[in-house]
Structure formats: C-alpha cells, structure tokens
Amino acid sequence: MKKENYVIGVDYGTDSVRSIIANAANGQEVASAVFYYPRWKDGLYCNPVTNQFRQHPLDYLEGLEQTIVRCLQQAGPSVTANIRAISVDTTGSTPVAVDKTGTPLALLPQFEKNPNAMFVLWKDHTSVPEAAEINTHAEKYEINYLQYVGGIYSSEWFWAKLLHILREDAAVREACYSWVEHCDWIPFVLTGGTDVSAMKRGVCSAGHKALWAAEFGGLPPEPFFTELDPLLAGYTKRLFTNTYTADKAAGTLSAAWATKLGLSTDVVIGVGAFDAHMGAVGGQIEPYHLSKVMGTSTCDMLVAPLQEVEGKLVKGICGQVPGSVIPGMMGLEAGQSAFGDAYAWFKKVLTWPLQQVLAQSTLLNPETAKAIIDETADKLIPELSKQAALIEIDENSELAVDWFNGRRTPDANQELKGAISGMNLGSDAPRMFRAIVEATCFGAKAIVDRFNHEGVPVKGLIGLGGVAKKSPFIMQMMANVMNMPIRIHKSEQTCALGAAMFAATAAGIYDKVEDAMNAMGQGFDATYYPDKTKVALYQQRYKKYLALGGFIEHSTKLKEKEVALSN
C-alpha cells in the first residue's frame, strides 16, 4: 500500500495562531487547532491611542507548540508517523530585536516586560515620523531604493520600525544585534537555530518590507542607512544578503522541538512567508486575479508572468517582488490597513453602553450581565448586516472613508483618518454600518483602479479569509462596487492550507508549488455577481468617496505643514 504523506501548515494571524494537518495528496484537512494569544487578548503591551501594538514572543511559542500537539492528538499515530514537513506564515511586517543567537530580547529576563523588546505588530504605527524621514531621504539618491515598494515607504514596515525602536529605547538599542521578521524567526526556532547570521530570510518579507532587491545586489548600501541615521550603522552586515523563496527548506526539525511535538527530526521546515502570500496560494491564485485576504485588514495579492510585467512599476502599492508568492512569477501586494477592524471598531462603539452601564446594573448579577453583553455583541454584526441590506440609498446617503487605521494602499499614509459624512437625525446604526462597509469596498476599488491604471490589469477577484466566508452582505457590496464577480474560496483556512502546500513542496513531494496548489486546492463554493441595477449608483458614490478622501488628505497635509512651521 502506498504510504500517505501529511504536512502541517501554521498560520499566525493578528489575534491567534492556527495549525492544520493536511493530506499532501489532496489537501484534505485531517486536524486543526487554534490558540488565542493570552497576553494580546488581555491588551498587554499595547496602547491603541498611540497606535502601539506589540506581541510577546511567548504568545507565539506557546501557540506553536499547543496547536501542533493538539492537531497530532486529533490525527492519531498513523498520521503523526507520516508528517513530512511544516511551513509557517505570519503577519507582516512584524519584526523584533534579537541578540546574536537570534533570541528576541523579550525572552531575556531583563526585557521580558519591555514592549520595545517584543514583536512590533504589522499595524503598529508608532514609526510614522521615521517612515516620513525615509521617504524624504530616498529622494537624495540617484538610484530610487523605493522603486520596488511602490515608491512610498510605510510606517508598517521593517526599517521604519527598527529606527523607531533604536531611537526610543537605549537599553534595547544596546542589546539589539539584529532585526528579524516573525515569518523568518519561527522556522529558525523550529530548526534549532542559534546564530542569527545563519537564519534563512524569505524573499517575501525581504523584498516587500525591507528594501531587498536583486537589482541592488541585496539591501541598499550601508551609506543609505547611516546617512539617514548613524544608529543604523552596521545593520546591513548583520542582516542578510541572500534570500529564499518559500518552496525551499530552511532545515529540518531540531531534536528539542521534535521531542516537544512528538515528531521525527527528519521533518522538513520550509522557509517562511507572509500570511497573505501563502494564503493566495492556498486560495488557488491565478495570473491577474486579485486574491483578497480579508480579515482585520486586507492584503491583496496579484501574480503575473515576469516577462509580461517587465519594466512596469506599480506606484503606491506594497511592492512587487519576483517569487514572493509563486516562485518564477512576479508577486505584487496591496491592501487596506483596516477592513474587519473597521467593523470591529463600530461594534465596540455600540457595545460601550452595555459594557459600562449594564455591567453596573443592580438588577442583574455579574454573570448574567456578562452573558447578555457577550450574546448581544456576537449578534451585532449579523443583525446590522441584515438591516443594512434592506436600506434603499441614493447618491447623497451617508458616506464614509475607510482610513480608520490610516491608508496602506494606494499611496501609504498612516496619518490619514477615517470619516463618516452626510449624517442627520435619521442616521441610525444600520445606515452608519452600511456606509462603513461601502467605504471598505470603495477602498478595495481604489486598489484595483491603481493596478489597471499602471498597466497591470485585474481580470478577476478571489475572496479569502473570515470576512469573505462569513458575510454575504459585504461580498455582494464588493461585487456591486467593483462591477466584477468575486469567487469565494471553499477553504476556511486558506493561509494555513497555503503554508501546507509550501511544506509539501519544500519536502519534495511536489516539484513546484503550482503542482501542490492544483493537487491540494479545495476549489470555490460561492460566486457573487454584481447587481447591474445598482452599479451606476455606486459609480456616482465612488466619485464622492474620492472627493471626500481628497478633502481629508488635503486637510492632513495642511496640518502637517502647520506643525512643521511651528517647529
């Protein structure tokens, strides 16, 4: 009897890590487990008012071990004996300060409660000034070192975050030897790495967030960074020159982790990548089809044959890197800083009275009050969606702009703010929610328009992630606004499944990831088509969205000039 091969895909999201075991022959999920980060859930080390979002490495390590062990317990001994590989995806850019051994400083006793020694989560925007300095600084050079990241460097990315931490914290600055992405650190941990200089860095994170490019011979030269700030001296030498695509092996499972997990040291560990990039593969991306991973934020991935986009540089996106999604193809990334987060914010606003007032009620015991609050919160978004779908709008109905967490693309600017306009005394919660949903769809359309304008046509849409699976209302709105069908992938865990596909390729079960994708892909279970009776109205409202956004952006620039003059 032919021996079956199984692989593990590990997907680190914003709130939790999830692992799956998949049959490498057909992608069938045989086990899954989720671990919610306990320190993150308690709000530790974060300050939303200042846009500081940090995560402790122990949340990641505990989640890694617990989810894999639980999966193996579900699957049983026969599957465990035939695990061939593990691959990992993470959010990004989510880097951390490490010592020479590659150990995050927060794992050392003297830094265990210092947020600056922890992973700087993708949505941390404390480095807005540093990103602005990088953008101004890059204009001084004959070579445009930002050309492959859309021409604008973001505060969500690698170098801006490093510079901010070095400036912010002298103790961390003295102890920091190198700066490491989450997606590169986990494979390093699993393979038992003890020397950060030997860490295999993925081309995905390096190219999209750290300014690495083959055309530069690696990272930009040392003077580019030291002339920006002498604090960056020496970092290019302590980082990396070579990068690897995610179909390659980072090594094999270390003896220590093999014991923890109950696996063989022959298990291959793949090179890591970002969640949306592996998710696009798990969602069976096709050339020129925009793969939209829709969760707290969105990451929009597009792949194209290298020769067909040669010489084209799409402005204002999150980069274009050969091999970052599918080896041998150009990977282009865009996205929105807040998608599900915008809905979660509105939900939080609506539940505030319950949390603050009902919890103090003398008519209810604390357990009953909490149960009512939790039940109401769980039902809010579904009920808002139901009521919002019934609203008949016109050109002048409530209108929103989706920059509640700044703007990622097109044209990164994390200083921008969200807005809701056109309010009157008839503007109730469903109307406000509908406007926010529409705004997130308009933000998605702005990304498609930018690709089309820059000569990289978007020929189709693929929806992935929690929002795509759970909200027919939002997906129908997306189809109407885009005036394009959007296919929804069947898998509940496209990022973890994509990681499993890369694991199968790294282990040599498949020669290339496209083969793994074709064999292990789960297909699509829904398609939303545009309602042609509403397309014209949304086109008119989109123009108003652009105008309102332009007003906000202009006002922001005036404010920035006033601050600069006052200084």
Side-chain angles (χ1 to χ4, degrees):
M1 181 181 293
K2 185 179 179 181
K3 182 170 64 175
E4 288 189 318
N5 295 312
Y6 295 91
V7 288
I8 297 175
V10 182
D11 169 38
Y12 281 93
T14 299
D15 302 317
S16 62
V17 56
R18 56 204 59 80
S19 295
I20 67 167
I21 297 177
N23 187 323
N26 54 24
Q28 180 187 2
E29 184 181 301
V30 299
S32 67
V34 178
F35 175 91
Y36 290 92
Y37 311 134
R39 298 162 189 82
W40 171 259
K41 188 175 182 180
D42 289 341
L44 300 181
Y45 318 117
C46 298
N47 184 357
V49 175
T50 60
N51 286 308
Q52 175 181 300
F53 296 99
R54 310 291 165 82
Q55 292 185 328
H56 202 289
L58 286 177
D59 276 353
Y60 297 160
L61 293 176
E62 291 165 4
L64 179 68
E65 181 176 354
Q66 289 193 34
T67 55
I68 292 179
V69 167
R70 282 159 51 198
C71 280
L72 294 171
Q73 290 171 345
Q74 291 173 36
S78 62
V79 170
T80 299
N82 291 296
I83 298 291
R84 301 298 171 219
I86 303 171
S87 281
V88 175
D89 70 70
T90 74
T91 65
S93 180
T94 301
V96 70
V98 299
D99 63 14
K100 288 184 178 181
T101 69
T103 301
L105 298 186
L107 293 178
L108 305 178
Q110 63 269 38
F111 293 110
E112 63 183 355
K113 294 185 178 180
N114 185 339
N116 293 322
M118 299 174 191
F119 283 89
V120 185
L121 189 64
W122 63 269
K123 69 177 183 177
D124 186 295
H125 292 160
T126 52
S127 60
V128 166
E130 286 77 13
E133 288 180 47
I134 291 172
N135 286 313
T136 301
H137 180 68
E139 296 175 0
K140 302 175 184 177
Y141 294 85
E142 184 176 346
I143 296 175
N144 180 6
Y145 291 111
L146 306 185
Q147 62 185 291
Y148 299 113
V149 294
I152 302 174
Y153 204 76
S154 169
S155 65
E156 294 185 346
W157 298 350
F158 189 89
W159 287 103
K161 290 178 173 179
L162 171 59
L163 183 55
H164 177 77
I165 295 297
L166 294 179
R167 289 173 172 175
E168 180 84 2
D169 195 315
V172 171
R173 180 170 67 243
E174 291 300 315
C176 178
Y177 180 80
S178 192
W179 193 240
V180 173
E181 282 284 0
H182 185 194
C183 64
D184 295 327
W185 181 65
I186 296 296
F188 179 76
V189 167
L190 288 173
T191 56
T194 56
D195 178 1
V196 71
S197 64
M199 180 182 293
K200 287 190 174 180
R201 313 277 190 142
V203 71
C204 173
S205 57
H208 284 281
K209 313 300 180 187
L211 300 179
W212 183 94
E215 291 81 357
F216 305 153
L219 298 168
E222 175 85 352
F224 176 82
F225 297 105
T226 56
E227 290 167 10
L228 171 64
D229 192 312
L231 291 178
L232 294 174
Y235 273 94
T236 54
K237 293 180 181 178
R238 301 198 295 271
L239 284 169
F240 52 90
T241 299
N242 298 320
T243 63
Y244 302 85
T245 51
D247 60 335
K248 305 301 182 187
T252 54
L253 192 63
S254 71
W257 273 91
T259 300
K260 283 183 182 182
L261 301 177
L263 292 171
S264 165
T265 54
D266 293 331
V267 171
V268 171
I269 307 300
V271 169
F274 289 145
D275 47 6
H277 296 67
M278 285 192 170
V281 171
Q284 295 172 272
I285 192 170
E286 302 173 27
Y288 299 108
H289 282 61
L290 197 64
S291 175
K292 297 180 63 61
V293 181
M294 291 176 273
T296 53
S297 68
T298 72
C299 281
D300 298 345
M301 308 307 306
L302 187 146
V303 296
L306 291 172
Q307 66 276 13
E308 293 182 14
V309 293
E310 186 176 357
K312 294 181 181 179
L313 292 173
V314 180
K315 298 176 183 177
I317 63 170
C318 301
Q320 49 194 85
V321 179
S324 66
V325 182
I326 295 178
M329 299 190 81
M330 182 66 76
L332 299 97
E333 178 190 352
Q336 295 163 265
S337 291
F339 198 79
D341 261 356
Y343 317 142
W345 163 78
F346 190 59
K347 174 182 172 181
K348 187 176 181 180
V349 170
L350 295 181
T351 56
W352 184 91
L354 293 176
Q355 294 167 338
Q356 301 301 318
V357 179
L358 188 59
Q360 301 174 31
S361 173
T362 58
L363 301 176
L364 300 170
N365 63 54
E367 292 77 13
T368 302
K370 184 179 185 304
I372 293 172
I373 293 168
D374 291 345
E375 182 182 7
T376 303
D378 288 343
K379 291 180 178 179
L380 266 179
I381 297 300
E383 186 61 27
L384 284 169
S385 297
K386 178 181 175 181
Q387 296 300 323
L390 301 175
I391 296 172
E392 292 292 334
I393 62 165
D394 59 35
E395 190 175 325
N396 298 311
S397 295
E398 293 87 353
L399 184 71
V401 173
D402 57 313
W403 301 333
F404 294 95
N405 197 24
R407 183 178 65 201
R408 180 178 294 163
T409 61
D411 305 319
N413 187 340
Q414 303 308 153
E415 294 277 48
L416 296 175
K417 308 297 182 185
I420 306 176
S421 68
M423 305 278 281
N424 58 43
L425 294 178
S427 299
D428 56 13
R431 287 180 176 274
M432 293 173 67
F433 178 71
R434 197 213 64 80
I436 293 169
V437 170
E438 182 188 56
T440 58
C441 294
F442 284 155
K445 179 172 170 53
I447 292 169
V448 170
D449 286 355
R450 178 58 61 90
F451 277 116
N452 288 334
H453 182 266
E454 297 288 315
V456 180
V458 175
K459 299 179 180 178
L461 302 172
I462 297 173
L464 315 171
V467 178
K469 295 292 292 182
K470 296 174 183 177
S471 181
F473 169 66
I474 296 172
M475 290 303 96
Q476 185 59 57
M477 178 86 76
M478 183 74 70
N480 293 344
V481 167
M482 295 284 201
N483 194 21
M484 294 176 69
I486 179 167
R487 290 181 293 160
I488 310 301
H489 200 268
K490 185 182 296 184
S491 175
E492 295 281 351
Q493 303 290 355
T494 49
C495 293
L497 180 58
M501 292 174 181
F502 275 104
T505 310
I509 297 170
Y510 295 100
D511 292 333
K512 55 185 181 178
V513 74
E514 294 98 313
D515 295 339
M517 184 167 62
N518 291 334
M520 299 173 67
Q522 300 300 295
F524 301 86
D525 61 4
T527 301
Y528 293 90
Y529 296 92
D531 181 343
K532 296 299 183 181
T533 66
K534 297 180 179 179
V535 167
L537 175 59
Y538 281 119
Q539 289 175 344
Q540 291 303 311
R541 288 182 59 77
Y542 179 60
K543 292 177 183 178
K544 288 181 174 287
Y545 163 87
L546 294 176
L548 179 58
F551 171 77
I552 294 170
E553 190 161 10
H554 179 68
S555 300
T556 302
K557 288 178 180 178
L558 288 178
K559 183 178 179 181
E560 290 171 350
K561 287 181 181 179
E562 290 174 2
V563 172
L565 289 172
S566 65
N567 293 333

mmCIF file of all heavy atoms in Angstrom, residues 346 350 380 384 387-388 391 426-436:
data_model
loop_
_atom_site.group_PDB
_atom_site.id
_atom_site.type_symbol
_atom_site.label_atom_id
_atom_site.label_comp_id
_atom_site.label_asym_id
_atom_site.label_seq_id
_atom_site.Cartn_x
_atom_site.Cartn_y
_atom_site.Cartn_z
ATOM 1 N N PHE A 346 -16.700 49.744 15.034
ATOM 2 C CA PHE A 346 -18.094 50.181 15.160
ATOM 3 C C PHE A 346 -18.840 49.306 16.165
ATOM 4 O O PHE A 346 -19.634 49.799 16.973
ATOM 5 C CB PHE A 346 -18.770 50.142 13.788
ATOM 6 C CG PHE A 346 -20.121 50.797 13.765
ATOM 7 C CD1 PHE A 346 -20.274 52.123 14.116
ATOM 8 C CD2 PHE A 346 -21.246 50.083 13.380
ATOM 9 C CE1 PHE A 346 -21.523 52.737 14.096
ATOM 10 C CE2 PHE A 346 -22.497 50.679 13.359
ATOM 11 C CZ PHE A 346 -22.632 52.011 13.719
ATOM 12 N N LEU A 350 -20.742 50.482 19.685
ATOM 13 C CA LEU A 350 -22.121 50.153 20.037
ATOM 14 C C LEU A 350 -22.239 49.369 21.336
ATOM 15 O O LEU A 350 -23.257 49.457 22.035
ATOM 16 C CB LEU A 350 -22.773 49.370 18.898
ATOM 17 C CG LEU A 350 -22.955 50.123 17.574
ATOM 18 C CD1 LEU A 350 -23.640 49.224 16.556
ATOM 19 C CD2 LEU A 350 -23.753 51.406 17.758
ATOM 20 N N LEU A 380 -24.399 41.465 16.918
ATOM 21 C CA LEU A 380 -24.467 42.820 16.359
ATOM 22 C C LEU A 380 -24.185 42.878 14.860
ATOM 23 O O LEU A 380 -24.987 43.407 14.088
ATOM 24 C CB LEU A 380 -23.495 43.735 17.111
ATOM 25 C CG LEU A 380 -24.066 44.525 18.285
ATOM 26 C CD1 LEU A 380 -22.974 45.363 18.935
ATOM 27 C CD2 LEU A 380 -25.206 45.413 17.826
ATOM 28 N N LEU A 384 -26.788 43.929 12.044
ATOM 29 C CA LEU A 384 -26.517 45.158 11.299
ATOM 30 C C LEU A 384 -26.470 44.885 9.800
ATOM 31 O O LEU A 384 -26.990 45.664 8.991
ATOM 32 C CB LEU A 384 -25.194 45.781 11.764
ATOM 33 C CG LEU A 384 -25.204 46.506 13.107
ATOM 34 C CD1 LEU A 384 -23.776 46.809 13.541
ATOM 35 C CD2 LEU A 384 -26.013 47.796 13.025
ATOM 36 N N GLN A 387 -30.055 44.354 8.469
ATOM 37 C CA GLN A 387 -30.820 45.591 8.357
ATOM 38 C C GLN A 387 -30.235 46.531 7.306
ATOM 39 O O GLN A 387 -30.975 47.195 6.568
ATOM 40 C CB GLN A 387 -30.860 46.299 9.720
ATOM 41 C CG GLN A 387 -31.583 45.515 10.798
ATOM 42 C CD GLN A 387 -33.041 45.241 10.452
ATOM 43 O OE1 GLN A 387 -33.718 46.079 9.868
ATOM 44 N NE2 GLN A 387 -33.512 44.040 10.798
ATOM 45 N N ALA A 388 -28.914 46.578 7.210
ATOM 46 C CA ALA A 388 -28.272 47.451 6.230
ATOM 47 C C ALA A 388 -28.604 47.027 4.802
ATOM 48 O O ALA A 388 -28.718 47.866 3.898
ATOM 49 C CB ALA A 388 -26.758 47.451 6.440
ATOM 50 N N ILE A 391 -31.708 48.721 3.289
ATOM 51 C CA ILE A 391 -31.751 50.175 3.129
ATOM 52 C C ILE A 391 -31.667 50.569 1.660
ATOM 53 O O ILE A 391 -30.789 50.082 0.917
ATOM 54 C CB ILE A 391 -30.596 50.833 3.908
ATOM 55 C CG1 ILE A 391 -30.767 50.583 5.410
ATOM 56 C CG2 ILE A 391 -30.524 52.339 3.619
ATOM 57 C CD1 ILE A 391 -29.578 51.019 6.244
ATOM 58 N N GLY A 426 -31.801 61.111 11.115
ATOM 59 C CA GLY A 426 -32.305 59.802 10.698
ATOM 60 C C GLY A 426 -31.202 58.779 10.514
ATOM 61 O O GLY A 426 -31.472 57.636 10.143
ATOM 62 N N SER A 427 -29.970 59.166 10.773
ATOM 63 C CA SER A 427 -28.822 58.271 10.578
ATOM 64 C C SER A 427 -28.708 57.330 11.772
ATOM 65 O O SER A 427 -28.236 57.708 12.839
ATOM 66 C CB SER A 427 -27.537 59.085 10.423
ATOM 67 O OG SER A 427 -27.604 59.931 9.299
ATOM 68 N N ASP A 428 -29.181 56.115 11.578
ATOM 69 C CA ASP A 428 -29.142 55.144 12.664
ATOM 70 C C ASP A 428 -27.963 54.188 12.489
ATOM 71 O O ASP A 428 -27.163 54.320 11.559
ATOM 72 C CB ASP A 428 -30.469 54.389 12.750
ATOM 73 C CG ASP A 428 -30.836 53.696 11.436
ATOM 74 O OD1 ASP A 428 -29.969 53.595 10.537
ATOM 75 O OD2 ASP A 428 -31.994 53.258 11.304
ATOM 76 N N ALA A 429 -27.854 53.211 13.377
ATOM 77 C CA ALA A 429 -26.711 52.291 13.358
ATOM 78 C C ALA A 429 -26.599 51.498 12.055
ATOM 79 O O ALA A 429 -25.500 51.381 11.495
ATOM 80 C CB ALA A 429 -26.790 51.352 14.558
ATOM 81 N N PRO A 430 -27.690 50.929 11.511
ATOM 82 C CA PRO A 430 -27.549 50.210 10.245
ATOM 83 C C PRO A 430 -27.065 51.103 9.098
ATOM 84 O O PRO A 430 -26.279 50.647 8.250
ATOM 85 C CB PRO A 430 -28.969 49.690 9.980
ATOM 86 C CG PRO A 430 -29.572 49.548 11.335
ATOM 87 C CD PRO A 430 -29.034 50.713 12.101
ATOM 88 N N ARG A 431 -27.516 52.353 9.052
ATOM 89 C CA ARG A 431 -27.068 53.258 7.981
ATOM 90 C C ARG A 431 -25.584 53.597 8.137
ATOM 91 O O ARG A 431 -24.853 53.667 7.152
ATOM 92 C CB ARG A 431 -27.910 54.537 7.993
ATOM 93 C CG ARG A 431 -29.325 54.326 7.472
ATOM 94 C CD ARG A 431 -30.143 55.608 7.487
ATOM 95 N NE ARG A 431 -31.445 55.377 6.890
ATOM 96 C CZ ARG A 431 -31.701 55.444 5.585
ATOM 97 N NH1 ARG A 431 -30.717 55.754 4.743
ATOM 98 N NH2 ARG A 431 -32.904 55.200 5.114
ATOM 99 N N MET A 432 -25.147 53.795 9.359
ATOM 100 C CA MET A 432 -23.728 54.066 9.584
ATOM 101 C C MET A 432 -22.887 52.838 9.238
ATOM 102 O O MET A 432 -21.826 52.946 8.609
ATOM 103 C CB MET A 432 -23.511 54.488 11.037
ATOM 104 C CG MET A 432 -24.145 55.821 11.383
ATOM 105 S SD MET A 432 -24.033 56.196 13.151
ATOM 106 C CE MET A 432 -22.268 56.414 13.334
ATOM 107 N N PHE A 433 -23.358 51.672 9.640
ATOM 108 C CA PHE A 433 -22.635 50.440 9.323
ATOM 109 C C PHE A 433 -22.566 50.227 7.819
ATOM 110 O O PHE A 433 -21.503 49.876 7.280
ATOM 111 C CB PHE A 433 -23.320 49.250 9.993
ATOM 112 C CG PHE A 433 -22.668 47.926 9.683
ATOM 113 C CD1 PHE A 433 -21.436 47.599 10.203
ATOM 114 C CD2 PHE A 433 -23.301 46.999 8.854
ATOM 115 C CE1 PHE A 433 -20.831 46.377 9.922
ATOM 116 C CE2 PHE A 433 -22.709 45.788 8.569
ATOM 117 C CZ PHE A 433 -21.469 45.470 9.100
ATOM 118 N N ARG A 434 -23.680 50.466 7.133
ATOM 119 C CA ARG A 434 -23.693 50.303 5.685
ATOM 120 C C ARG A 434 -22.679 51.229 5.017
ATOM 121 O O ARG A 434 -21.973 50.837 4.079
ATOM 122 C CB ARG A 434 -25.097 50.593 5.145
ATOM 123 C CG ARG A 434 -25.351 50.071 3.723
ATOM 124 C CD ARG A 434 -26.287 50.972 2.941
ATOM 125 N NE ARG A 434 -25.673 52.264 2.750
ATOM 126 C CZ ARG A 434 -24.758 52.516 1.809
ATOM 127 N NH1 ARG A 434 -24.365 51.573 0.977
ATOM 128 N NH2 ARG A 434 -24.224 53.709 1.699
ATOM 129 N N ALA A 435 -22.567 52.453 5.515
ATOM 130 C CA ALA A 435 -21.607 53.406 4.957
ATOM 131 C C ALA A 435 -20.172 52.942 5.175
ATOM 132 O O ALA A 435 -19.315 53.095 4.297
ATOM 133 C CB ALA A 435 -21.821 54.785 5.580
ATOM 134 N N ILE A 436 -19.901 52.354 6.355
ATOM 135 C CA ILE A 436 -18.554 51.853 6.629
ATOM 136 C C ILE A 436 -18.215 50.678 5.717
ATOM 137 O O ILE A 436 -17.111 50.593 5.160
ATOM 138 C CB ILE A 436 -18.430 51.458 8.120
ATOM 139 C CG1 ILE A 436 -18.537 52.703 9.004
ATOM 140 C CG2 ILE A 436 -17.114 50.732 8.377
ATOM 141 C CD1 ILE A 436 -18.694 52.385 10.485
#
